[in-house]
Amino acid sequence: MGDFLSNLSLGFGVALSLQNLLLAFLGCLVGTLIGVLPGVGPIATIAMLLPITFGFDPTGALIMLAGIYYGAQYGGSTTAILVNIPGEATSVVTALDGHQMARQGRAGVALGIAAIGSFFAGTVATLVIAALGAPLTGLALIFGPTEYFSLMVMGLVFAVVLARGSILKAIAMILVGVLLSTVGLDLETGEERMTFGLAFLSDGIDFAVLAMGIFGIAEIMRNLDHTEHRDVVRQAIGRLLPNREDFRQSYKPVIRGTLIGAILGILPGNGAVLGPFASYTLEKKIAKDPRRFGRGAIEGVAGPESANNAGAQTSFIPLLTLGIPPNAVMALMVGAMTIHGIIPGPQVMTKNPSLFWGMIASMWVGNLMLLVINLPMVGMWVRLLKVPYRMLFPAILMFCSIGIYSINSLPTDVMFIALFGLVGYTLIKLGFEPAPMLLGFVLGKLMEENLRRALILSRGSLSTFIDHPVSAGLLAVAVILLVIALLPSIRKGRDEVFTE
């Protein structure tokens, strides 16, 4: 307990410095903004803002990027409630009852309970991360390259199982990502791999270029593909603070949603997205009158909103303790860490405790800021919702081009984001989800490194992955998961769940 408190005290000391407070505020504000504006998600935004963070110290940069991620969860609920368009995948469920509440003139209460539930969930999740961080990091330190390789295989299998659409397409995307990670000079032999004799490929594909193209540019193209229609509620927003009856109906869903979100958020493979869906299903199942759901039930907003914020924050646990990104946003965080010279993994806590605990404490500070940003400024967010997307995308496009050029001053980088944008757009149109590709790209390098080390230590024997009990257990879980997901009956059920 003493260590726990002294670690948190160290973290708050870092998070409450003036510079980090400003960066956390900036991240939360930008996150809320992009959450509010449908069509610009946190993945695209973080990818686009990566170049800006080069001028910051690593702790400040990561605090700002993390603020964008969980800020988007708050902002997404505003759009879901007021416009019936989820600004974020995790806000899909909130739109069901939140928008109905808005139509009944209770938009303020829906926004209020969403913000309060999110703040409670964020506070609990911060404590969970702080409590689990040290033991999990200690556990991770006893992992060798064999165990790490198997853990990453399991993480990728989770990503396949939890990806939307066809499993085979998800596997293909991961393999493409792993393949792209091998482009460039082999660090051990010095041989060129898949560079086609092009000098600018000898250093490999830049993470920021790939992320910005696949998510930033492709997202712009996808949004321009369909006619924009926003049905902003015309009723008054009403009071923002829920009354005693609203609190009585909401407090249990908030607690249950927080627990569900916190547990699912830790799962590799975007488990954070599942939290709101699981919470909504549970609340509907145990409700005395399930027919209220979909018609403005406050429990349908309180539970899922708490779950999505708790999940967004606990998804940092695999990243901070093991160095394994559980979803595309965390893959971008790995990219940001690498750009700043920090090797993600358990050594972050031992070698850079101020960064580790500063980030954790900044999450609570950020959640408090979001409560302040979201409720009093709701009128401004409503006005922003009326800005047409056609007026936003030229600025986003210009921002992407300037940002990517500022990294290496290479015109080829600008051309590459255009190329990857086109590739990303084509993949989306063909039903391929690009997120597993980014995970494959980030984990590909780490997997290759650990595979080589494991094989060197075992003198080339592949049986090392089965001889080590932890490694064998992780691989067994991966195989079982994959087999279960490929079973025709399970696959059909999975497809139905994702369609719903």
Side-chain angles (χ1 to χ4, degrees):
M1 192 65 183
D3 283 349
F4 175 76
L5 291 176
S6 64
N7 287 332
L8 274 185
S9 155
L10 168 69
F12 276 107
V14 175
L16 293 176
S17 72
L18 186 63
Q19 184 191 332
N20 288 338
L21 273 176
L22 283 173
L23 288 171
F25 180 75
L26 186 64
C28 291
L29 195 67
V30 172
T32 307
L33 184 68
I34 55 114
V36 166
L37 293 171
V40 194
I43 302 177
T45 310
I46 293 175
M48 287 185 275
L49 290 181
L50 271 180
I52 288 183
T53 66
F54 285 15
F56 304 151
D57 74 283
T59 311
L62 291 170
I63 284 176
M64 191 187 85
L65 295 178
I68 293 173
Y69 180 42
Y70 53 75
Q73 315 297 322
Y74 274 77
S77 63
T78 307
T79 320
I81 291 166
L82 296 178
V83 200
N84 202 22
I85 299 174
E88 249 289 277
T90 50
S91 308
V92 171
V93 188
T94 309
L96 298 175
D97 282 284
H99 191 62
Q100 286 303 318
M101 284 180 74
R103 283 184 173 277
Q104 293 160 15
R106 303 181 69 210
V109 175
L111 289 167
I113 203 68
I116 293 166
S118 296
F119 175 71
F120 174 80
T123 305
V124 173
T126 304
L127 291 173
V128 170
I129 298 172
L132 288 182
L136 276 178
T137 304
L139 184 71
L141 283 171
I142 60 170
F143 272 32
T146 314
E147 288 81 7
Y148 257 112
F149 176 79
S150 303
L151 183 68
M152 284 181 234
V153 171
M154 193 186 78
L156 289 181
V157 169
F158 262 106
V160 167
V161 174
L162 297 180
R164 275 176 293 176
S166 157
I167 287 181
L168 289 178
K169 285 181 177 174
I171 294 174
M173 292 312 294
I174 281 179
L175 291 177
V176 170
V178 173
L179 209 60
L180 287 175
S181 75
T182 61
V183 173
L185 284 181
D186 185 323
L187 289 178
E188 289 192 15
T189 63
E191 295 230 350
E192 288 194 354
R193 301 187 299 193
M194 293 191 286
T195 59
F196 306 105
L198 300 169
F200 57 84
L201 281 179
S202 58
D203 286 336
I205 296 171
D206 193 292
F207 174 81
V209 172
L210 180 72
M212 201 180 277
I214 291 288
F215 291 108
I217 306 293
E219 193 66 17
I220 293 169
M221 293 167 79
R222 192 180 66 83
N223 283 320
L224 291 174
D225 216 15
H226 48 80
T227 314
E228 194 180 15
H229 176 71
R230 293 182 195 172
D231 180 22
V232 182
V233 283
R234 298 185 190 281
Q235 282 86 350
I237 299 290
R239 62 185 164 84
L240 289 169
L241 272 183
N243 60 23
R244 183 177 286 187
E245 179 58 18
D246 295 327
F247 273 120
R248 192 190 63 75
Q249 287 180 307
S250 307
Y251 81 94
K252 284 182 183 170
V254 165
I255 294 169
R256 284 191 287 262
T258 302
L259 287 175
I260 292 170
I263 294 167
L264 290 177
I266 302 172
L267 287 184
N270 219 2
V273 176
L274 294 180
F277 292 90
S279 168
Y280 190 81
T281 310
L282 177 71
E283 293 307 327
K284 196 173 174 183
K285 213 157 233 174
I286 62 175
K288 283 181 186 166
D289 183 11
R291 287 173 300 174
R292 288 176 51 244
F293 282 78
R295 296 176 183 175
I298 196 166
E299 301 95 310
V301 177
E305 274 303 308
S306 310
N308 84 32
N309 207 42
Q313 284 191 222
T314 54
S315 63
F316 279 87
I317 290 177
L319 172 72
L320 290 173
T321 57
L322 304 171
I324 309 283
N327 54 42
V329 176
M330 293 302 119
L332 289 165
M333 296 295 282
V334 168
M337 281 183 164
T338 315
I339 285 167
H340 284 275
I342 297 166
I343 301 165
Q347 60 271 34
V348 174
M349 193 176 115
T350 49
K351 289 184 181 170
N352 210 336
S354 60
L355 182 143
F356 184 90
W357 293 105
M359 255 191 88
I360 290 174
S362 78
M363 289 180 192
W364 187 83
V365 176
N367 271 283
L368 189 63
M369 286 177 176
L370 283 165
L371 199 62
V372 178
I373 291 172
N374 274 267
L375 293 182
M377 291 169 74
V378 68
M380 194 185 85
W381 302 130
V382 173
R383 279 196 288 279
L384 266 176
L385 279 169
K386 293 172 184 167
V387 178
Y389 188 70
R390 65 174 187 280
M391 293 176 76
L392 290 174
F393 85 86
I396 299 173
L397 207 57
M398 188 179 73
F399 189 71
C400 282
S401 305
I402 294 172
I404 205 67
Y405 183 76
S406 67
I407 300 177
N408 300 318
S409 305
L410 288 174
T412 47
D413 283 352
V414 182
M415 288 191 279
F416 256 103
I417 61 164
L419 175 69
F420 283 128
L422 204 59
V423 171
Y425 175 73
T426 311
L427 289 172
I428 294 167
K429 296 302 276 181
L430 293 173
F432 289 88
E433 202 185 341
M437 185 169 89
L438 195 69
L439 272 181
F441 182 76
V442 171
L443 289 181
K445 286 179 183 170
L446 295 168
M447 283 174 78
E448 185 186 358
E449 200 180 306
N450 283 291
L451 177 66
R452 280 184 165 176
R453 280 189 200 158
L455 289 177
I456 290 169
L457 289 172
S458 66
R459 301 189 178 184
S461 169
L462 281 172
S463 62
T464 183
F465 296 103
I466 301 167
D467 293 341
H468 287 71
V470 176
S471 164
L474 293 168
L475 287 178
V477 172
V479 171
I480 292 168
L481 270 175
L482 202 56
V483 170
I484 290 175
L486 285 170
L487 285 175
S489 58
I490 303 282
R491 197 172 59 189
K492 196 180 166 193
R494 174 185 170 278
D495 290 345
E496 282 171 8
V497 168
F498 279 109
T499 307
E500 282 175 22

